[in-house]
Amino acid sequence: MIRYIILATVAILGACAEPADIVLGSDGKPLPRLYRISASDDARILYNMADGINALRRRSGLAPVAINPYLNASAATHARDMAVQNRPWHFGSDGSSPLQRLERVGYQGTLIGEAISETYETENETLAAWIADPKSRTIILDKTASEMGFSWFQEPNGKIWWMLVVGRGQ
């Protein structure tokens, strides 16, 4: 009985909360809100992405991928480098390829591929966009994949450079 009273109280208090300010565009649809990432969000965002990827892989009958610190390091370096270059692409400002970046961080596995994004969207929205894209979807749902690295760089204006690296460990 007490559980129901607590649930009812939470529901009533939630209904009394001030609604978020929603700004509508000229088309009448809500404008996107700035997704500001703080240092305290790092682990939450990384695990949100890994959980989302693994849920999609499970639904496709595939084994989960593990977070790999070497792949995370490669992803972090390239996310920042894409921001410096101001373009989402797979080559570094020094001309380095995805394979060369993995060699630099000491990754011993095999590269499956990368997914990149330049956006103001959340990690979940970004994963949804990657899954909708046939090339990124193929990388994320590769049946031989066993590891992933994920990182991002957010500019002061809020733009986020997302970077996912998928590999197969030794």
Side-chain angles (χ1 to χ4, degrees), residues 10-128:
V10 169
I12 291 168
L13 290 175
C16 295
E18 288 290 318
D21 292 332
I22 298 174
V23 180
L24 301 179
S26 59
D27 60 0
K29 294 182 180 177
L31 293 174
R33 303 187 104 212
L34 182 61
Y35 184 55
R36 184 65 63 189
I37 300 171
S38 69
S40 65
D41 295 325
D42 288 356
R44 179 189 57 78
I45 290 172
L46 174 62
Y47 288 105
N48 275 352
M49 181 58 73
D51 290 345
I53 287 172
N54 284 327
L56 291 165
R57 290 180 61 82
R58 258 190 317 279
R59 200 169 342 160
S60 297
L62 301 170
V65 291
I67 298 170
N68 179 288
Y70 294 102
L71 295 178
N72 281 349
S74 178
T77 299
H78 194 59
R80 181 175 291 277
D81 193 41
M82 286 190 298
V84 168
Q85 296 179 72
N86 197 33
R87 63 178 167 181
W89 75 322
H90 296 283
F91 293 92
S93 55
D94 62 355
S96 60
S97 72
L99 287 172
Q100 289 170 318
R101 286 194 301 277
L102 292 184
E103 288 174 3
R104 287 178 185 166
V105 297
Y107 183 64
Q108 299 296 311
T110 302
L111 174 68
I112 302 286
E114 296 179 332
I116 57 177
S117 180
E118 167 195 14
T119 186
Y120 292 87
E121 297 177 329
T122 68
E123 66 277 7
N124 294 329
E125 293 166 317
T126 300
L127 179 56

